[in-house]
Amino acid sequence: MATLEDIGVSALINILSAFAFLLAFAVLRIQPVNDRVYFSKWYLSGSRRSPRHSGNTIGKFVNLNFWTYLGFLNWMPGALKMSQSKLIEHAGLDSAVYLRIYLLGLKIFAPMTILSILILVPVNVSSSTLNFLKRELVVSDIDRISISNVSPGSQRFWFHLSLAYLYTLWTCYMLYKEYNTIAFMRLHYLASQHRRVDQFTVSVKNIPIASGHTISETVDHFFRTNHPNHYIGHQVVYNGNKFARLVRKKERLRNWLDYYQLKYERHPEKKRPTTRRGFFGLCGERVDSIDYYTQRINVLEKRIQSERQKILNDSKGALPVAFVSFDSRWGAAVCAQTQQSKNPTLWLTDWAPEPRDVYWQNLAIPFVSLTIRRLIITVSVFLLVFFYMIPIAFVQSLANLEGLERVAPFLRTVIELKFIKSFLQGFLPGLTLKVFLYFLPALLMVMSKVEGHLSLSKLERKTAEKYYYFMLVNVFLGSIVTGTAFEQLHSFLHQSPTQIPRTIGVSIPMKATFFVTYIMVDGWAGIAGEILRLKPLVIFHLKNMFLVKTERDRENAMDPGSIELSNSLPTLQLYFLLGLVYAVVTPILLPFILVFFGFAYLVYRHQIINVYNQEYESVAAFWPHVHGRIIASLLISQFLLLGLLSTKKAADSTPLLIVLPVLTIWFHKYCKSRFEPAFRKYPLEEAMARDTMERAEEPNLNLMAYLADAYLHPIFQSFDDVEMGEVRVDKNLTDIASPIDSELSSPSPLHYVYSYEVEP
Amino acid sequence: MATLEDIGVSALINILSAFAFLLAFAVLRIQPVNDRVYFSKWYLSGSRRSPRHSGNTIGKFVNLNFWTYLGFLNWMPGALKMSQSKLIEHAGLDSAVYLRIYLLGLKIFAPMTILSILILVPVNVSSSTLNFLKRELVVSDIDRISISNVSPGSQRFWFHLSLAYLYTLWTCYMLYKEYNTIAFMRLHYLASQHRRVDQFTVSVKNIPIASGHTISETVDHFFRTNHPNHYIGHQVVYNGNKFARLVRKKERLRNWLDYYQLKYERHPEKKRPTTRRGFFGLCGERVDSIDYYTQRINVLEKRIQSERQKILNDSKGALPVAFVSFDSRWGAAVCAQTQQSKNPTLWLTDWAPEPRDVYWQNLAIPFVSLTIRRLIITVSVFLLVFFYMIPIAFVQSLANLEGLERVAPFLRTVIELKFIKSFLQGFLPGLTLKVFLYFLPALLMVMSKVEGHLSLSKLERKTAEKYYYFMLVNVFLGSIVTGTAFEQLHSFLHQSPTQIPRTIGVSIPMKATFFVTYIMVDGWAGIAGEILRLKPLVIFHLKNMFLVKTERDRENAMDPGSIELSNSLPTLQLYFLLGLVYAVVTPILLPFILVFFGFAYLVYRHQIINVYNQEYESVAAFWPHVHGRIIASLLISQFLLLGLLSTKKAADSTPLLIVLPVLTIWFHKYCKSRFEPAFRKYPLEEAMARDTMERAEEPNLNLMAYLADAYLHPIFQSFDDVEMGEVRVDKNLTDIASPIDSELSSPSPLHYVYSYEVEP
């Protein structure tokens, strides 16, 4: 048990390290040589091409203007300066809404902190249970200001009870307001945005294969029949994995060619560079590099050509998936929200994700396979969450010194050295754990990919969900109840449902010090480390030194990163959970959380403005999940408080707490029906209004041309423009303009009339 | 504990009483005087107007043809004769699918019975645990053929385990096939049916009130804007409760008038009948009855007229609900499945129920009120299910003799008689319980109505759901674990999740005898009682004797009843639960259940063909619920078997059982996504095909006229034809044909073109 002084020392250390990070950041960010690391967003948006620097050669690499070193915190007001609407324009709605989560944390916890400190701390301190006990056992100072200090059966628990009610109401109120705002922002964003291809496009999965007809013909016939007034065309998805491999290889060869050409041009006096033809350029005949690569590229070019022809001509190259385009948002909204086929597992329509958001590999998974995959992944996630420690312990038991000696006997003499031995013994188990935890998010992402979601944004959301479960069980519960998650599961299965919240509830006040330290390390110093971007910085300079051959490589070496919702949302939600659980129990935790939310808000605002690359725009599609997790945290906090109070013999007040979860669940259901459709569907009223406006503004808009290439498989994007044109002709004109063969033509006597042709 | 002989005796009694019922039925049904009770369906369908009888006067009332008495079971082949397609035509798809549930029961349990008796009974009997114990405690014979007879830790449990797997697979397979068939039947029924108004109509709730405009104008403007190509008109719903009261009163008066007119016409020689004007005809001035009623009807007629004018003219009479009609099934399908407004709580569209299925009173509940009502009802149902016994016990404690004497001291002398006292003491508590249970379905129906569902079919489904929970807790669990439901809840909350299935699982084999008796009483004799229809028979004759004044009254006195899904589904599902739970544990229960399913199938088939009135057609919308409950029963049976085996120390085999619930849940999810959309949505492919066909067949169809009166509030249905015409003109022509005022007219430049006018 830590005393208040211990926590003070720990806080000092963490604050100092946070300051050290901030200082380092302040120095590093103004060096021109680091410009691409700390201002990559501006390079990506195209508003910066090269670092700003003073004239001379050294100035290219080091900032010599010493005045700029003084205001080392001046990035903070800079980060705050940009207005929300500007921010949405600059970094997308996702980023802006992500930042609002931190603000929401501040809004929820600031009044709670004040109230708790004004009311609960005096109530707890003036109780005297632990003073009596103090002689017998060591009690931490933090426990004196927590609920543990109130004697069992005391009437003072009414304070805690009424604050629990007040906090629940307050949290729900803030959540409601926030959901309302964000739903409005989403609709406003969708409405005010310029035309987007995904507003006119619907993804169709599980297209049945009709014998004798290509996928393209089937799609065309189906939508011409069932959406005669609005369908204008479609884009077939090709299985282009082999093609993509060839294109990547060509890229690599061209890069080498550029490198040698540059090398030769810089020093034309030297002899032309040569390369060995054999294995990785290590052996074989020596040839002229430039000629050699030019020739290899030409050969590859021909293979790419023929592969492309093969894909486009082979009817089996097309996957049973398509992107279908409509002449209006209304038509697309109708198609995305309705069931198409009598067999509900065929012709599954949904909104097409943004083109850059599509995860192409998953487009071709059939329905039955999908359901089986989900079963397997659900079971795996359950096992992963509860049995994660078992393989780690197993590997740790292998990765000890005896194991190493057995595998590599020649190391024995080294290992037996005392210094190295003790170092390894302390180091190996920790390393295995670290390695496992490091790969966890990647592992979860792979699992989500196996589940078969179609868009990157959904993959991130699903990964975030899995990670949240992991954090909840292994970090939150794992810290409170000692023992591995599996042992907890076992003990929970053998306890009564009323006993579980009690067991956990009782341990909660005792773990407050641990979580305070956790918040300081992970939330304060960790966030300061985030702004320093040490890893991308080092990697950028390493790449710059060893790998970068051309300007294009330098572009690639720049790793702006992104918000990475799959990682950041679960950690963020853990802070909400801690805050809500401890708000009534140990209020001294709240100021620490408040500092985290404030500081992280500043840091992430700065990073989003200056660094992160926006990979896609899901228009805040993650918000319902954030909302749901905060509600879950609220429920957990209520049940734990219920368990805690029931051990405190507060018989008068405890039963009143049961009302809270019921109300919270109802509130969640209400919000779900009130707001969630705004995130899942696209109202026809909105679609029609936008369509009408657009037709009035641009009566001669050629939507078909606008949509033609929107969902071209990325493998075709690497073509030159001429080739692109060819593909377009190959694919779309035949699909759209050719008369469909008589057998397939629609039995309906309806003419094929576009709605804008019906207009006067 | 009952021996096999006890059960034999009980079976004999029940079989005899079932035969007695059947005999009584055989005699009663062929009496012409009972014709309206036993063949009411034929009267309703119009194919029978009066009983078939032999010529003379006695023959009108009693069947004198003694040959017909011989074949007293000849209704059975008669019930089976009608083919399924004929049955669907005769009694609707709901009835046909309802009967399939019994067939499904037979299909699931027949192979199980054979396998269990061939394999499990020998395995259980040849184990000898209970033989050793027999000397010490009395063991029933039934326990000897149950799983209790297998000694703990025996390898014989592998038989039970593999049969549990086999039964789960078999049940899932049958469920899958059945779901597939019924989904197909539903789609086929929808496709092959003639035009139905609900295929073109969508119900719209929560219409926002625009100041300065009537509801009708708002609806018209909204749909003209957002569904310009398909919207053709709408029907406003009026708040007609007062009007309905007046109309009912007029009906009553006209009935009396008919009665007196008939009376006078039959005996014109007597003086004209007279009535007293005062309180219920008991006091006041004596007047000529015919004149009096004619005059009162005229007065009422005028009030009805003015009330109707008031409703139609008063803008506040219209509720914020409407039925919106489209020119095609496609248009209606699109509107029903999409979100209309930016605010997802406004303009809520859904398929309109069939006109006779609409529950008009619930149309006007606003969104927020709905969510609050659902919260309240959910909590109430929970309390009702678990605390049902408490008020009963309370009333029972009041309704004892002392209580009666205190309330009515004058009864003391009677009550103190010994015979009456003992009778009352045994009778009162039972009576209170019976009264409470009798009102339970009605109470649950009221709860469902408060929840605010729009259609009778949904109300029945929701009531069935609540009743199922009640049966599960109070009948199934209540019989297995002794004590009230509340005590069970209390003990479950204080047991671990692994302990609960054990506690219940262990008691299961012991309760087999009880359930065998239950099945015989409720399932055999009860079903035979159902076919006798004693209550409707008695009530019909009582009404005939005392109340029936006119031929119209005789029509009304006939109470054909209906399947009453809210009652019959939960009882039926209880049998599935019993069968699945006992299939592995005490297989001797299975033959009893098999007899129930077979017999009940025959009886209900007969009743559906000859008696029951079809109140509405929901096109088998209840099937997903039936499927879900059988899956739930399967899960319950698996968990209980798990609990039972874990007490039997069958450590090898028990863990393997955990796979079963996971697979079952996955199967349920798969079925849900595979089939459920067919019950919730209407595929556009189907809608378009039907539309196209219809347009080809009837190019000049005037849909507007067809739909005009479809959703007229039932209060207007009692008008004479002339009046109806008036209403139609008042309401629809103004709504559909009048030019909307310029301010409201659509901002879209689109012309208002019906799609059949676009056709060549």
Side-chain angles (χ1 to χ4, degrees), chain A residues 121-390:
Chain A
V121 169
V123 167
N124 293 339
V125 168
S126 64
S127 299
S128 46
T129 324
L130 298 178
N131 277 343
F132 285 115
L133 291 171
K134 207 172 184 179
R135 270 158 256 156
E136 289 146 50
L137 48 96
V138 185
V139 178
S140 85
D141 293 321
I142 278 204
D143 277 350
R144 275 247 290 286
I145 47 179
S146 88
I147 205 171
S148 317
N149 204 25
V150 185
S151 55
S154 163
Q155 288 300 318
R156 287 166 191 251
F157 286 119
W158 285 105
F159 284 103
H160 301 89
L161 181 85
S162 31
L163 279 184
Y165 264 86
L166 198 65
Y167 290 171
T168 300
L169 292 180
W170 174 250
T171 309
C172 288
Y173 173 67
M174 290 318 293
L175 280 174
Y176 181 84
K177 266 185 64 179
E178 196 66 21
Y179 214 149
N180 200 7
T181 312
I182 288 168
F184 173 79
M185 279 167 74
R186 180 179 160 97
L187 285 176
H188 181 76
Y189 182 81
L190 289 174
S192 65
Q193 243 183 340
H194 198 246
R195 205 167 32 246
R196 279 168 49 154
V197 285
D198 48 319
Q199 291 172 336
F200 298 90
T201 313
V202 165
S203 71
V204 185
K205 292 202 297 179
N206 293 24
I207 299 168
I209 289 158
S211 61
H213 297 289
T214 64
I215 296 277
S216 177
E217 284 165 351
T218 317
V219 171
D220 213 55
H221 174 247
F222 186 85
F223 284 96
R224 232 178 256 288
T225 311
N226 295 310
H227 294 269
N229 296 320
H230 299 284
Y231 168 73
I232 55 173
H234 69 276
Q235 194 104 36
V236 171
V237 177
Y238 293 94
N239 190 351
N241 288 344
K242 191 181 167 194
F243 186 80
R245 257 201 318 280
L246 291 177
V247 170
R248 273 201 304 275
K249 196 171 173 189
K250 187 181 136 194
E251 279 283 288
R252 220 160 39 233
L253 291 178
R254 178 163 289 177
N255 219 9
W256 278 111
L257 181 63
D258 286 0
Y259 169 69
Y260 285 117
Q261 269 171 340
L262 264 178
K263 199 172 169 186
Y264 182 61
E265 278 163 21
R266 274 192 209 139
H267 308 283
E269 69 286 354
K270 285 192 185 168
K271 71 173 173 109
R272 284 167 70 96
T274 57
T275 314
R276 287 176 190 273
R277 299 183 71 149
F279 184 72
F280 281 110
L282 294 175
C283 53
E285 185 195 347
R286 211 167 251 292
V287 290
D288 182 281
S289 297
I290 295 175
D291 292 350
Y292 171 68
Y293 281 108
T294 316
Q295 182 216 336
R296 278 193 66 186
I297 286 172
N298 285 339
V299 171
L300 207 59
E301 194 71 44
K302 274 187 198 116
R303 276 184 62 197
I304 288 175
Q305 290 287 347
S306 74
E307 175 69 23
R308 186 166 65 81
Q309 284 307 324
K310 215 176 98 195
I311 290 173
L312 295 181
N313 297 333
D314 182 13
S315 62
K316 281 176 190 161
L319 297 172
V321 195
F323 290 98
V324 177
S325 306
F326 292 84
D327 70 343
S328 59
R329 292 169 185 83
W330 193 91
V334 160
C335 184
Q337 294 178 45
T338 49
Q339 194 196 338
Q340 307 302 315
S341 154
K342 271 182 272 191
N343 181 341
T345 63
L346 296 179
W347 297 103
L348 296 178
T349 54
D350 202 351
W351 281 108
E354 246 199 326
R356 53 186 169 155
D357 191 13
V358 178
Y359 185 70
W360 296 90
Q361 283 91 316
N362 273 351
L363 281 171
I365 305 170
F367 184 78
V368 178
S369 164
L370 266 189
T371 57
I372 294 170
R373 279 153 178 257
R374 291 210 177 138
L375 168 71
I376 292 170
I377 293 298
T378 308
V379 173
S380 319
V381 168
F382 177 83
L383 295 179
L384 181 76
V385 166
F386 282 99
F387 300 87
Y388 196 68
M389 293 312 289
I390 293 177

Side-chain angles (χ1 to χ4, degrees), chain B residues 551-751:
Chain B
E551 195 61 24
R552 198 190 302 178
D553 277 357
R554 200 184 311 278
E555 286 281 330
N556 290 339
M558 185 173 81
D559 169 27
S562 64
I563 308 176
E564 274 190 49
L565 292 175
S566 55
N567 260 324
S568 51
L569 283 187
T571 41
L572 195 44
Q573 280 146 3
L574 185 70
Y575 286 95
F576 276 98
L577 178 65
L578 287 178
L580 291 170
V581 166
Y582 279 100
V584 176
V585 174
T586 311
I588 198 68
L589 205 89
L590 289 178
F592 292 88
I593 286 181
L594 218 52
V595 169
F596 160 77
F597 275 119
F599 184 49
Y601 174 69
L602 285 174
V603 167
Y604 276 104
R605 209 167 203 277
H606 174 265
Q607 299 292 81
I608 281 170
I609 292 174
N610 294 311
V611 182
Y612 293 153
N613 179 25
Q614 190 196 7
E615 290 181 342
Y616 55 80
E617 176 64 63
S618 72
V619 201
F622 58 85
W623 184 260
H625 297 263
V626 175
H627 178 89
R629 305 274 148 70
I630 298 178
I631 292 277
S633 307
L634 205 53
L635 286 172
I636 292 172
S637 77
Q638 290 157 356
F639 280 114
L640 293 186
L641 185 66
L642 196 64
L644 179 61
L645 284 191
S646 69
T647 62
K648 286 281 194 177
K649 301 193 185 97
D652 300 345
S653 42
T654 314
L656 282 176
L657 274 177
I658 297 171
V659 180
L660 276 183
V662 176
L663 282 180
T664 310
I665 290 171
W666 174 78
F667 170 76
H668 179 57
K669 285 204 160 186
Y670 175 75
C671 281
K672 208 178 161 73
S673 57
R674 172 74 181 78
F675 297 118
E676 213 180 283
F679 291 82
R680 303 266 168 276
K681 295 171 174 178
Y682 189 49
L684 294 187
E685 184 185 19
E686 183 74 24
M688 186 56 97
R690 290 276 288 153
D691 285 339
T692 315
M693 210 169 68
E694 197 173 78
R695 272 177 214 148
E697 283 170 3
E698 300 172 72
N700 300 318
L701 173 69
N702 186 353
L703 255 180
M704 247 195 282
Y706 173 66
L707 294 173
D709 289 328
Y711 284 89
L712 205 58
H713 194 292
I715 57 167
F716 295 109
Q717 310 258 336
S718 57
F719 281 134
D720 301 337
D721 275 2
V722 189
E723 293 172 278
M724 282 282 276
E726 248 178 83
V727 176
R728 193 182 306 158
V729 171
D730 281 6
K731 285 160 46 58
N732 298 292
L733 286 193
T734 50
D735 288 354
I736 296 166
S738 75
I740 26 174
D741 46 338
S742 59
E743 189 199 348
L744 261 174
S745 73
S746 156
S748 134
L750 281 171
H751 270 204

Side-chain angles (χ1 to χ4, degrees), chain A residues 226 228 330 337-340 342-345 371 375 493-498 666 674 684-686 688, chain B residues 225-226 330 337-340 342-345 371 375 493-498 666 674 684-686 688:
Chain A
N226 295 310
W330 193 91
Q337 294 178 45
T338 49
Q339 194 196 338
Q340 307 302 315
K342 271 182 272 191
N343 181 341
T345 63
T371 57
L375 168 71
L493 280 179
H494 290 84
Q495 282 178 332
S496 74
T498 46
W666 174 79
R674 171 74 182 78
L684 295 188
E685 184 186 16
E686 183 74 24
M688 186 54 95
Chain B
T225 310
N226 295 311
W330 193 90
Q337 293 178 45
T338 50
Q339 193 195 339
Q340 307 304 314
K342 272 182 271 191
N343 181 341
T345 62
T371 56
L375 168 70
L493 280 179
H494 290 83
Q495 283 177 334
S496 75
T498 46
W666 174 78
R674 172 74 181 78
L684 294 187
E685 184 185 19
E686 183 74 24
M688 186 56 97

Side-chain angles (χ1 to χ4, degrees), chain A residues 441-727:
Chain A
L443 180 64
L444 292 175
M445 181 54 102
V446 169
M447 285 176 143
S448 304
K449 281 180 180 168
V450 171
E451 274 186 321
H453 304 291
L454 280 200
S455 62
L456 295 174
S457 54
K458 191 150 191 202
L459 284 174
E460 289 223 324
R461 289 201 293 278
K462 287 286 164 183
T463 309
E465 188 184 341
K466 297 184 179 74
Y467 201 18
Y468 176 74
Y469 295 139
F470 186 87
M471 299 270 280
L472 184 67
V473 171
N474 286 289
V475 177
F476 181 69
L477 289 182
S479 309
I480 289 176
V481 188
T482 44
T484 64
F486 171 65
E487 284 165 16
Q488 288 164 38
L489 182 69
H490 187 260
S491 74
F492 288 159
L493 280 179
H494 290 84
Q495 282 178 332
S496 74
T498 46
Q499 189 56 44
I500 296 168
R502 250 186 239 193
T503 318
I504 306 172
V506 169
S507 333
I508 278 186
M510 296 191 275
K511 295 291 173 178
T513 19
F514 168 76
F515 282 116
V516 165
T517 326
Y518 180 86
I519 292 167
M520 287 191 295
V521 173
D522 182 83
W524 296 8
I527 293 292
E530 175 66 34
I531 203 173
L532 186 59
R533 288 173 60 73
L534 206 59
K535 201 178 114 194
L537 181 76
V538 169
I539 289 176
F540 175 73
H541 285 301
L542 283 179
K543 276 188 177 169
N544 244 346
M545 270 190 273
F546 297 109
L547 291 174
V548 166
K549 294 186 284 283
T550 63
E551 196 61 25
R552 198 191 303 178
D553 278 357
R554 197 184 315 275
E555 285 281 330
N556 290 340
M558 184 174 79
D559 170 26
S562 64
I563 307 178
E564 275 190 46
L565 291 175
S566 55
N567 260 324
S568 51
L569 283 186
T571 42
L572 195 44
Q573 281 146 2
L574 185 70
Y575 286 94
F576 276 99
L577 178 64
L578 288 179
L580 290 171
V581 166
Y582 279 101
V584 177
V585 174
T586 313
I588 199 67
L589 206 88
L590 288 178
F592 293 88
I593 287 181
L594 218 52
V595 169
F596 159 76
F597 275 118
F599 184 48
Y601 174 69
L602 286 174
V603 167
Y604 276 103
R605 208 168 204 277
H606 174 266
Q607 298 292 80
I608 282 170
I609 292 175
N610 294 311
V611 183
Y612 293 152
N613 178 24
Q614 190 198 5
E615 291 181 342
Y616 55 80
E617 176 64 61
S618 72
V619 202
F622 58 84
W623 184 260
H625 298 262
V626 174
H627 177 89
R629 305 274 148 71
I630 298 179
I631 292 278
S633 308
L634 206 52
L635 286 173
I636 292 173
S637 77
Q638 289 158 357
F639 279 114
L640 294 186
L641 186 65
L642 197 63
L644 178 61
L645 283 192
S646 69
T647 62
K648 285 282 193 175
K649 302 194 184 94
D652 301 342
S653 43
T654 314
L656 282 176
L657 275 176
I658 298 170
V659 179
L660 276 183
V662 175
L663 282 180
T664 310
I665 291 171
W666 174 79
F667 170 77
H668 179 56
K669 285 205 159 183
Y670 176 74
C671 281
K672 209 178 160 75
S673 57
R674 171 74 182 78
F675 297 118
E676 213 179 282
F679 291 81
R680 304 266 169 275
K681 296 171 173 177
Y682 189 48
L684 295 188
E685 184 186 16
E686 183 74 24
M688 186 54 95
R690 290 275 289 153
D691 285 340
T692 315
M693 210 168 69
E694 196 173 79
R695 273 175 214 150
E697 282 170 4
E698 300 172 73
N700 299 318
L701 173 70
N702 187 352
L703 256 180
M704 247 195 283
Y706 172 66
L707 294 173
D709 289 328
Y711 284 89
L712 205 58
H713 195 294
I715 58 166
F716 295 109
Q717 311 260 335
S718 57
F719 281 134
D720 301 336
D721 273 2
V722 190
E723 292 173 277
M724 281 283 276
E726 247 179 83
V727 176

